[in-house]
Amino acid sequence: MAVTSFQTLRNPPSQKLNKRVLIRLRTDIPVGAAGVDSVYTQPRMRWARIDPVGTATYTAAAQTDKAITHRVCMRHIEGVTDSHEIVHRQHVYRVQRGAPLAGESDYTIIEVEQLQ
């Protein structure tokens, strides 16, 4: 089965958005003298497509201290920053950056790093 690149995909058919994901804002707050606790707010559920990146993309991103392991495509969404995480089942992804897919405002492509 051929892998379709996000760059060549203008408007993915809705059946390609086949993963139900949670987008949440992560805020770390101090606890005690040296501890930190994470608080999650602004939960939003979306249908998305999650694809691993190729080795060239991973290597290039690692050289800039922004590890990119996957790309997530979903219908247009505003306000997703590198303070957000995307959760799909037991996997947690830290958002690195997002942009409109193919320069249009119908879909958003988000580059993420898989944490677990």
Side-chain angles (χ1 to χ4, degrees), residues 8-55:
T8 61
L9 194 61
R10 276 202 159 278
N11 289 321
S14 60
Q15 67 265 27
K16 295 289 185 182
L17 305 178
N18 58 1
K19 308 275 191 284
R20 193 71 171 154
V21 300
L22 170 71
I23 303 168
R24 63 188 184 188
L25 177 63
R26 177 183 171 155
T27 306
D28 292 331
I29 57 172
V31 175
V36 174
D37 197 12
S38 298
V39 176
Y40 302 102
T41 58
Q42 301 177 8
R44 296 184 266 180
M45 297 297 294
R46 292 285 193 271
W47 285 102
R49 176 176 167 184
I50 303 173
D51 286 324
V53 298
T55 55

Side-chain angles (χ1 to χ4, degrees), residues 1-114:
M1 183 169 144
V3 175
T4 304
S5 168
F6 278 124
Q7 288 78 13
T8 61
L9 194 61
R10 276 202 159 278
N11 289 321
S14 60
Q15 67 265 27
K16 295 289 185 182
L17 305 178
N18 58 1
K19 308 275 191 284
R20 193 71 171 154
V21 300
L22 170 71
I23 303 168
R24 63 188 184 188
L25 177 63
R26 177 183 171 155
T27 306
D28 292 331
I29 57 172
V31 175
V36 174
D37 197 12
S38 298
V39 176
Y40 302 102
T41 58
Q42 301 177 8
R44 296 184 266 180
M45 297 297 294
R46 292 285 193 271
W47 285 102
R49 176 176 167 184
I50 303 173
D51 286 324
V53 298
T55 55
T57 302
Y58 177 80
T59 303
Q63 293 175 354
T64 63
D65 293 330
K66 292 276 189 179
I68 306 294
T69 60
H70 293 77
R71 287 193 180 103
V72 179
C73 181
M74 62 186 64
R75 292 200 181 274
H76 181 71
I77 186 167
E78 293 278 341
V80 176
T81 67
D82 59 1
S83 295
H84 285 82
E85 293 178 347
I86 296 176
V87 181
H88 176 252
R89 296 185 181 174
Q90 73 274 15
H91 301 290
V92 178
Y93 304 91
R94 176 180 296 134
V95 172
Q96 297 295 342
R97 63 182 155 257
L101 179 63
E104 303 289 329
S105 62
D106 295 341
Y107 291 88
T108 298
I109 186 78
I110 301 172
E111 293 180 329
V112 298
E113 173 189 10
Q114 184 172 358

